[in-house]
Amino acid sequence: KKTNEKWNLTVHYYCLLMSSGIWQRGKEEEGVYGFLIEDIRKEVTRASKLKCSVCKKTGASIGCVAPRCKRSYHFPCGLQRECIFQSFCWKHRPVQIITSNNCRDSLLCTICLEFIEPIPTYSVLRSPCCKNAWFHRDCLQVQAINAGVFFFRCTLCNNSDIFQKEMLRMGIHIPEKDASWELEENAYQELLQHYEHCDVRRCRCKEGRDYNVPDSKWEIKRCQCCGSSGTHLACSSLQSWEQNWECCECRSILYSEFQKAKKHALPNTNVGINDCLLEESSPKLPRQSPGDQCKDLLRQGSKFRRDISTLIIELGFQVKKRPKKVFINKANFWNSALDGFRNQNFNPSYTIEIVYVNENDHFGREQPGSKQEFLSLLMQQLENSSLFEGSLSKNLSLNSQALKENLYYEAGKMVAISLVHGGPSPGFFSQTLFNCLAYGPENTQPILDDVSDFDVAQIMIRINTAATVDDLNSLINDYYKYLEFIGCLRLITSISDKYMLAKDILVYHVIKRVQAPFESFKQGLKTLGVLEKIQTYPEAFFHIFCHKPENLSAKILSDLFTVHTLSDVQTLGFWNSYLQAVEDGKSTVTMEDILIFATGCKSIPPAGFKPNPSIECLHMDFPVGNKCDNCLALPITSTYKEFQESMDFAIKNTLRLEKEENSHFI
């Protein structure tokens, strides 16, 4: 949506681009992207007389170019009926004619690598230059928007001329712009970086993790496999620079590779097990190690730099515009949400419509609810449920009753549905839980912080700090029944055996103990292909699963809300001043309060809001937040003081009442 405040004009860019009666007669900086204001007004007048062939409402500015075809339609209505915007209706759109099709079995879409039937339809297209290259239309459109006219080409043979000509004919919009990855500021600067940082969890250097003195025990040694993690020699008990060292992630990969090759032992390194336990993974920089393996990793690296919002939008393509009502009783939020998702008529690929009901209302009245508010409340309930344990970073708990009721599966499904349907991400997973999902438990090494049971943590600390073999055997006798029960009893021959014993306890408690809940949760997360997407792009999903969203600022909120036409200029000035006052702490209201008041969410979802949050100015005493439409109505006042008092009073008291109501229900 593009707004020209000078002319009080707001248009959708694609509606403008595809309309049949308007051309770009001006320069790029004139009007709206070269479309002159007077031309836009004429097109509005022309379209107001045309009725849409789909929804039967006026304003249908797009017409079929086929001779004697009188169909007109709105842009979203045309999408619904599978029109092609060059501009052909659903009856006259061009089709791909395949003379012979030797591929009877399913083939992979060469972009998303999911199976498709090799039959040309509206949603499935074939490459004109590579006869066995097939694509989803949605995949092609996303790629075209990201790549632009200069980089959009066949994924197999890199042909651009023939490929683009055919894709344009079939209605793929190819913007005249540079590729999104080329427009990123300081793109690929990390290729010039020389990694110098100690990533061992308990760095022993008093000067800090970035301290590096060559030819001393504080020299930083980089991982010999990836080059993008490091350690001081002293922090990992390395005697000299010549000794090899691998980071935790690469060590797990090497271990799995050696297992596949059926070798009986790991290569000899002088790194103790405690270093492995205490090591934390760092964000991977491009690989710096030599050899063919490194080059392969670099070639694959681009797929891990996918933007998370793009990935979630791609997942959202599965959602059909077929509404499915989910009835929620706020007095019993969790159980009514479970009942809604377990309903045999519920389909996660249908558009969710939230309806709030009150069992005490004898008239049976229904109140429409905000889908994003519902999903936000659902993620909060999930975070505080007994299905997870831990303080900030959580792992799965072992709850036999929840396992019996299949709640772990439902929890995984809830997370998947929230992501695909535009809701918030969890943001509370531990790195260990995420790595188990993304890379598999067998390739994940937990850390001591993952242990939420105080008694178990004390056992591990006492074992790790045992000074002699006698002390270690004494501890084993003290905890004999526990170690026997979890299958971690082992013969102690040297003091170094304590590290393997501590590791066995850690792996049991964090991973093996919750194997059944984990498998159930993982099955739920497969809903709508979310788990497969996570495993394909783990680095993109890591941040939204393991970290809370960034703090809101006045600029973020100001940019987030679009302004409706004919808004009061003075009130908009008060609005911007109010946001700055809230950010500076001059109000009892917070940025999160404002967003919750308007949308029901305390943070911006990874894929953004739908519809986009908007502002309008009305003559009334207090602001009103419409969470279903993400619309915030501001009161028109004569002074800023009146505006601030009105905003503070309404937002603070509305959220207080909602919080009291929710606490009462819980």
Side-chain angles (χ1 to χ4, degrees):
K1 184 185 291 185
K2 306 296 178 183
T3 299
N4 188 310
E5 295 182 0
K6 179 180 177 182
W7 297 100
N8 286 331
L9 191 69
T10 299
V11 294
H12 290 118
Y13 175 63
Y14 282 108
C15 293
L16 185 63
L17 204 63
M18 306 302 176
S19 291
S20 301
I22 188 169
W23 293 266
Q24 189 181 22
R25 297 195 301 125
K27 296 181 180 178
E28 192 70 23
E29 63 274 8
E30 293 184 84
V32 181
Y33 295 114
F35 292 93
L36 303 181
I37 301 300
E38 57 268 26
D39 291 347
I40 296 175
R41 295 198 186 281
K42 289 179 182 178
E43 180 64 0
V44 171
T45 303
R46 185 188 73 87
S48 65
K49 303 172 185 177
L50 299 174
K51 186 175 290 187
C52 178
S53 301
V54 181
C55 70
K56 308 304 179 185
K57 296 179 182 179
T58 57
S61 61
I62 305 173
C64 179
V65 298
R68 294 185 295 279
C69 181
K70 303 299 182 183
R71 291 186 182 88
S72 295
Y73 36 87
H74 301 104
F75 181 73
C77 294
L79 284 177
Q80 181 183 338
R81 287 302 300 271
E82 300 183 347
C83 295
I84 284 181
F85 292 100
Q86 258 83 13
S87 289
F88 294 95
C89 70
W90 55 93
K91 291 287 186 181
H92 300 107
R93 67 179 185 227
V95 295
Q96 287 186 312
I97 300 175
I98 308 300
T99 54
S100 63
N101 185 8
N102 297 324
C103 301
R104 299 181 182 274
D105 299 327
S106 296
L107 294 175
L108 291 173
C109 167
T110 60
I111 297 177
C112 71
L113 302 182
E114 292 183 359
F115 284 102
I116 53 178
E117 291 299 320
I119 301 172
T121 62
Y122 174 79
S123 55
V124 175
L125 300 176
R126 191 179 82 157
S127 171
C129 40
C130 296
K131 303 306 180 185
N132 283 331
W134 295 79
F135 315 92
H136 293 107
R137 174 182 288 274
D138 291 338
C139 293
L140 276 172
Q141 187 58 79
V142 170
Q143 187 189 36
I145 289 174
N146 283 324
V149 69
F150 302 109
F151 288 90
F152 183 52
R153 57 194 66 184
C154 177
T155 54
L156 294 187
C157 68
N158 276 337
N159 180 284
S160 60
D161 296 335
I162 299 174
F163 185 76
Q164 285 191 18
K165 185 177 180 181
E166 174 67 2
M167 294 305 113
L168 282 170
R169 185 179 78 90
M170 296 309 299
I172 299 298
H173 172 58
I174 310 173
E176 289 190 26
K177 69 178 186 69
D178 209 343
S180 57
W181 57 84
E182 296 291 341
L183 299 174
E184 183 181 344
E185 188 176 356
N186 296 324
Y188 311 117
Q189 285 298 305
E190 66 271 14
L191 292 174
L192 305 176
Q193 293 181 13
H194 193 68
Y195 195 81
E196 293 184 354
H197 183 79
C198 180
D199 294 299
V200 172
R201 188 169 185 82
R202 296 176 186 172
C203 178
R204 301 170 185 171
C205 181
K206 295 181 180 179
E207 301 296 328
R209 293 182 178 274
D210 296 324
Y211 187 66
N212 181 27
V213 179
D215 301 322
S216 75
K217 66 178 181 179
W218 302 121
E219 182 171 3
I220 289 181
K221 170 79 173 178
R222 284 175 292 279
C223 173
Q224 67 163 341
C225 297
C226 67
S228 55
S229 285
T231 176
H232 291 112
L233 298 183
C235 295
S236 290
S237 304
L238 298 175
Q239 299 301 317
S240 69
W241 177 260
E242 285 74 21
Q243 283 184 260
N244 290 331
W245 179 81
E246 302 93 16
C247 66
C248 189
E249 292 181 14
C250 293
R251 194 176 302 139
S252 65
I253 296 172
L254 287 172
Y255 180 70
S256 63
E257 291 300 322
F258 278 113
Q259 277 188 326
K260 291 176 184 176
K262 296 184 179 180
K263 293 189 178 180
H264 299 292
L266 286 171
N268 239 348
T269 63
N270 293 327
V271 183
I273 296 297
N274 59 329
D275 296 314
C276 181
L277 291 177
L278 298 178
E279 199 174 306
E280 65 178 5
S281 61
S282 63
K284 292 292 185 185
L285 291 175
R287 311 303 196 221
Q288 299 176 7
S289 59
D292 294 336
Q293 181 183 9
C294 173
K295 293 177 183 177
D296 289 340
L297 288 171
L298 276 173
R299 281 194 288 269
Q300 297 169 11
S302 60
K303 74 177 183 179
F304 297 108
R305 290 196 291 270
R306 296 287 302 278
D307 182 71
I308 185 63
S309 60
T310 303
L311 293 172
I312 293 179
I313 289 171
E314 289 176 6
L315 286 170
F317 286 147
Q318 303 170 80
V319 180
K320 302 177 178 65
K321 292 184 178 180
R322 181 173 176 179
K324 175 61 182 175
K325 289 184 178 181
V326 178
F327 295 91
I328 299 297
N329 180 2
K330 277 194 172 182
N332 195 3
F333 182 88
W334 175 256
N335 287 329
S336 58
L338 271 177
D339 292 341
F341 287 160
R342 285 173 167 172
N343 190 303
Q344 60 179 359
N345 294 322
F346 177 77
N347 189 328
S349 64
Y350 289 171
T351 301
I352 296 175
E353 285 188 358
I354 300 301
V355 179
Y356 288 124
V357 295
N358 188 343
E359 59 186 12
N360 297 322
D361 188 345
H362 301 295
F363 296 99
R365 285 170 293 196
E366 299 177 354
Q367 179 185 354
S370 163
K371 177 180 69 175
Q372 285 170 319
E373 179 189 30
F374 163 73
L375 293 173
S376 181
L377 290 172
L378 191 63
M379 289 301 103
Q380 291 176 40
Q381 290 263 336
L382 206 57
E383 181 177 3
N384 298 320
S385 72
S386 60
L387 302 177
F388 295 89
E389 62 184 18
S391 52
L392 296 177
S393 298
K394 296 177 180 287
N395 289 293
L396 289 172
S397 66
L398 180 59
N399 186 322
S400 57
Q401 185 62 31
L403 194 61
K404 183 179 179 181
E405 296 176 7
N406 207 23
L407 292 183
Y408 290 99
Y409 171 83
E410 297 297 338
K413 186 167 74 172
M414 289 174 182
V415 172
I417 288 174
S418 179
L419 285 175
V420 176
H421 286 264
S425 54
F428 59 84
F429 282 27
S430 72
Q431 183 172 345
T432 296
L433 175 56
F434 179 82
N435 286 346
C436 286
L437 293 168
Y439 308 109
E442 69 279 3
N443 295 319
T444 300
Q445 179 60 60
I447 59 175
L448 188 59
D449 288 348
D450 292 319
V451 180
S452 59
D453 188 309
F454 179 79
D455 293 333
V456 175
Q458 287 300 307
I459 293 173
M460 293 183 58
I461 291 172
R462 292 187 65 185
I463 289 174
N464 266 322
T465 55
T468 65
V469 173
D470 290 339
D471 291 342
L472 191 56
N473 281 317
S474 175
L475 287 172
I476 291 176
N477 288 331
D478 291 343
Y479 303 119
Y480 186 88
K481 288 185 177 180
Y482 170 72
L483 295 175
E484 183 181 38
F485 174 74
I486 67 175
C488 291
L489 275 177
R490 61 170 50 246
L491 180 65
I492 301 299
T493 58
S494 67
I495 190 61
S496 61
D497 290 340
K498 67 180 182 179
Y499 301 127
M500 189 59 69
L501 177 60
K503 177 184 174 182
D504 289 346
I505 299 172
L506 184 63
V507 171
Y508 168 80
H509 188 81
V510 178
I511 294 179
K512 292 182 179 179
R513 182 177 64 97
V514 294
Q515 185 175 0
F518 174 78
E519 289 300 326
S520 182
F521 182 79
K522 190 171 74 168
Q523 290 301 316
L525 200 58
K526 288 182 179 180
T527 303
L528 296 170
V530 170
L531 179 62
E532 289 79 3
K533 208 76 165 177
I534 292 171
Q535 292 172 342
T536 307
Y537 305 103
E539 293 190 1
F541 281 90
F542 170 76
H543 185 77
I544 66 169
F545 269 80
C546 300
H547 297 285
K548 297 294 184 183
E550 63 175 329
N551 293 329
L552 297 172
S553 65
K555 185 178 187 313
I556 290 174
L557 278 192
S558 178
D559 294 341
L560 179 66
F561 285 87
T562 57
V563 181
H564 280 177
T565 55
L566 302 177
S567 291
D568 185 87
V569 176
Q570 185 182 35
T571 302
L572 294 179
F574 290 165
W575 161 250
N576 289 323
S577 300
Y578 180 70
L579 289 179
Q580 193 59 54
V582 172
E583 184 177 31
D584 295 340
K586 298 177 182 178
S587 168
T588 55
V589 170
T590 66
M591 292 291 177
E592 287 74 17
D593 291 341
I594 298 173
L595 194 62
I596 294 171
F597 182 77
T599 67
C601 298
K602 64 180 180 180
S603 61
I604 302 173
F609 286 101
K610 190 176 181 181
N612 291 328
S614 60
I615 285 176
E616 58 184 349
C617 304
L618 299 175
H619 290 280
M620 53 189 180
D621 294 330
F622 297 102
V624 175
N626 185 343
K627 297 175 182 178
C628 292
D629 295 328
N630 297 329
C631 181
L632 176 60
L634 302 176
I636 297 177
T637 60
S638 56
T639 66
Y640 172 72
K641 184 179 179 182
E642 292 176 345
F643 181 86
Q644 182 177 9
E645 290 176 349
S646 173
M647 295 290 289
D648 284 351
F649 179 83
I651 294 174
K652 184 169 59 176
N653 285 284
T654 300
L655 298 185
R656 178 180 60 81
L657 290 172
E658 289 179 353
K659 187 175 182 180
E660 289 176 358
E661 183 183 16
N662 290 336
S663 298
H664 171 70
F665 290 151
I666 292 171

